[in-house]
Amino acid sequence: ELGAAAERAQPFSIEGAEVDIDALERAFAALVDRHEALRTAFIVVDGEPRQRIVPSVDVGVRYVDLRQSANPLDEARALAEADARTPFDLAAPPLLRVLVIAIPGDDARTAIILTMHHIVGDGWSQEILVREVTALYTAFRRGEPSPLPPMRIQYKDFSEWQNRANFATEESWWLN
């Protein structure tokens, strides 16, 4: 129900259990530590754009409890829309925000709104991030270490390879 409200945000939810905020914060911290792109600042040096990867950042998971609200779904939608409209400072990573909303119902339900600037990811990468944070959250909630293998390459490595590669065959195909 929250998905249509925030076009630039990826909603997912935890149902049937109270969310463990500590495990969720640790999961997002591990996710940001894992992906350099999420710790990248975009700055201008001598009139030229530059990337600067910072060693660590605080994700700052924001928690809103709407379980006592008279109109929780309307309030949740408004919060998600406001978050999606809030601009990012490209020089101040992380370029993602996490909004956790507790919603009333017969079973415990928590919506998690992940809003990410398009410069560090797209819909495809958001799906990967949601899978990874889900795996991290599950492990941390059980008191286990991260189940994810170390990253072999980062996005900047792929980007550098792509900039050096010769795509003459592909270019010819597209031009034809």
Side-chain angles (χ1 to χ4, degrees):
E1 293 173 313
L2 298 177
E7 291 178 328
R8 291 179 289 158
Q10 172 73 34
F12 58 106
S13 64
I14 298 173
E15 295 184 14
E18 281 290 320
V19 67
D20 181 338
I21 293 294
D22 180 58
L24 190 63
E25 287 176 338
R26 289 180 52 224
F28 275 103
L31 185 77
V32 170
D33 284 346
R34 180 175 166 75
H35 294 280
E36 288 180 347
L38 301 178
R39 292 182 281 111
T40 300
F42 296 88
I43 57 174
V44 177
V45 177
D46 298 328
E48 294 290 322
R50 297 282 184 258
Q51 291 179 316
R52 185 186 61 196
I53 299 168
V54 298
S56 66
V57 294
D58 179 22
V59 177
V61 173
R62 186 173 145 217
Y63 179 77
V64 178
D65 188 344
L66 296 179
R67 290 177 292 186
Q68 304 303 317
S69 170
N71 297 309
L73 292 180
D74 289 342
E75 286 185 49
R77 280 188 193 92
L79 287 167
E81 288 171 355
D83 193 62
R85 284 191 309 268
T86 301
F88 285 92
D89 177 354
L90 295 180
L95 298 181
L96 69 87
R97 288 189 294 268
V98 181
L99 172 61
V100 178
I101 306 172
I103 301 171
D106 294 336
D107 57 346
R109 193 165 111 197
T110 303
I112 302 166
I113 309 298
L114 173 61
T115 306
M116 181 171 57
H117 194 286
H118 194 71
I119 200 167
V120 296
D122 55 14
W124 182 268
S125 53
Q126 274 192 341
E127 288 181 29
I128 294 168
L129 297 181
V130 168
R131 275 197 314 267
E132 288 187 3
V133 82
T134 300
L136 290 163
Y137 173 77
T138 300
F140 293 163
R141 188 175 168 104
R142 294 176 182 157
E144 299 169 356
S146 169
L148 303 177
M151 299 283 289
R152 293 182 328 201
I153 63 169
Q154 294 287 332
Y155 184 75
K156 70 174 175 46
D157 302 318
F158 169 75
S159 179
E160 287 172 7
W161 165 82
Q162 195 172 37
N163 286 335
R164 289 189 314 265
N166 180 351
F167 292 104
T169 302
E170 291 83 355
E171 180 181 19
S172 175
W173 185 87
W174 283 105
L175 289 173
N176 286 330

